[in-house]
Amino acid sequence: GENVGLHLPTLSVQEGDNSIINCAYSNSASDYFIWYKQESGKGPQFIIDIRSNMDKRQGQRVTVLLNKTVKHLSLQIAATQPGDSAVYFCAERKAAGNKLTFGGGTRVLVKP
Amino acid sequence: KAGVTQTPRYLIKTRGQQVTLSCSPISGHRSVSWYQQTPGQGLQFLFEYFSETQRNKGNFPGRFSGRQFSNSRSEMNVSTLELGDSALYLCASSLGGSATNEKLFFGSGTQLSVL
């Protein structure tokens, strides 16, 4: 999917640096949060998830932090690589089933 | 195993026409969801099907409909197309259980252009 959102915030990061992408979610009843990565011409790809009973979860080079007090979610990417250039979306779900509410997305550009 | 497959990849239609999009989920997945992605509105949930029944529905007009077959494959239909229906339509599948952290896998989408 070519995401050509007119108002997508953009994060420019130097290759090798760490990236932090932030997301404010809307529903305090949401119990599950996910980060997706979308590259040009592709659908969203699952990166990492976290349940509401946790505040941190780590994956390979990625960490998700959840602050329920201020309804804030962040994705940290360690040692950002050119292949990390994409649009990143946070999503929340408040009940069983697959009705996800997505954030607006952040475009990450990795400079060599 | 094969991922979520959507056909066709691109479609061009004119206002007033109708369109049918197809989605084949990952083998073994019983839930199929549809999302619309536009630059202005982002990703929005259309509906979800599980065991041939609509389980969840988003806030789209009745022109948008879907169905699921016994093999879990799904189709969505948009009737009386409007210019604003131009979008990337994404299908996602999951096992369909009740686990809170059930993962959703997306296809590459069908890019619909309405002229």
Side-chain angles (χ1 to χ4, degrees):
Chain A
E2 185 68 37
N3 194 307
V4 290
L6 298 176
H7 304 292
L8 274 184
T10 299
L11 174 67
S12 289
V13 59
Q14 202 69 39
E15 181 179 356
D17 287 351
N18 296 335
S19 304
I20 299 177
I21 307 164
N22 296 303
C23 176
Y25 64 91
S26 57
N27 195 328
S28 57
S30 293
D31 59 3
Y32 177 57
F33 304 88
I34 317 104
W35 280 99
Y36 284 94
K37 171 187 180 183
Q38 187 173 27
E39 297 173 282
S40 181
K42 298 182 180 179
Q45 177 189 356
F46 173 91
I47 301 173
I48 192 168
D49 58 359
I50 188 168
R51 297 177 67 162
S52 61
N53 59 355
M54 303 172 69
D55 52 22
K56 179 179 180 179
R57 188 157 189 239
Q58 289 184 288
Q60 187 177 14
R61 281 202 308 120
V62 293
T63 301
V64 55
L65 299 176
L66 174 63
N67 184 330
K68 293 182 288 294
T69 303
V70 295
K71 294 192 285 187
H72 184 266
L73 194 66
S74 68
L75 176 70
Q76 300 177 1
I77 305 174
T80 313
Q81 302 169 359
D84 295 327
S85 291
V87 178
Y88 290 79
F89 293 95
C90 65
E92 61 183 295
R93 183 167 71 197
K94 71 170 183 177
N98 291 317
K99 182 175 181 177
L100 298 180
T101 300
F102 281 84
T106 296
R107 188 182 305 277
V108 172
L109 294 175
V110 182
K111 298 177 287 186
Chain B
K1 72 183 154 180
V4 178
T5 304
Q6 292 187 245
T7 56
R9 187 72 178 90
Y10 300 95
L11 263 179
I12 299 175
K13 293 285 187 179
T14 56
R15 277 183 302 174
Q17 288 187 308
Q18 72 158 12
V19 67
T20 299
L21 313 181
S22 181
C23 172
S24 293
I26 292 171
S27 177
H29 284 192
R30 296 172 63 195
S31 167
V32 174
S33 305
W34 290 89
Y35 287 79
Q36 181 196 65
Q37 185 174 27
T38 60
Q41 299 298 317
L43 278 148
Q44 292 187 291
F45 174 80
L46 280 155
F47 29 64
E48 178 197 6
Y49 287 86
F50 176 75
S51 291
E52 303 178 64
T53 301
Q54 190 178 86
R55 183 159 75 171
N56 271 306
K57 188 178 187 307
N59 298 321
F60 279 81
R63 299 186 298 108
F64 292 81
S65 62
R67 59 177 176 168
Q68 187 180 34
F69 304 95
S70 58
N71 62 358
S72 295
R73 192 177 69 84
S74 177
E75 291 181 345
M76 69 163 281
N77 184 277
V78 188
S79 62
T80 320
L81 284 166
E82 301 177 359
L83 296 179
D85 297 333
S86 294
L88 180 69
Y89 290 88
L90 291 159
C91 169
S93 77
S94 73
L95 290 170
S98 58
T100 304
N101 59 344
E102 187 168 285
K103 292 180 176 54
L104 205 59
F105 296 89
F106 282 85
S108 293
T110 294
Q111 183 67 55
L112 172 65
S113 298
V114 182
L115 307 178

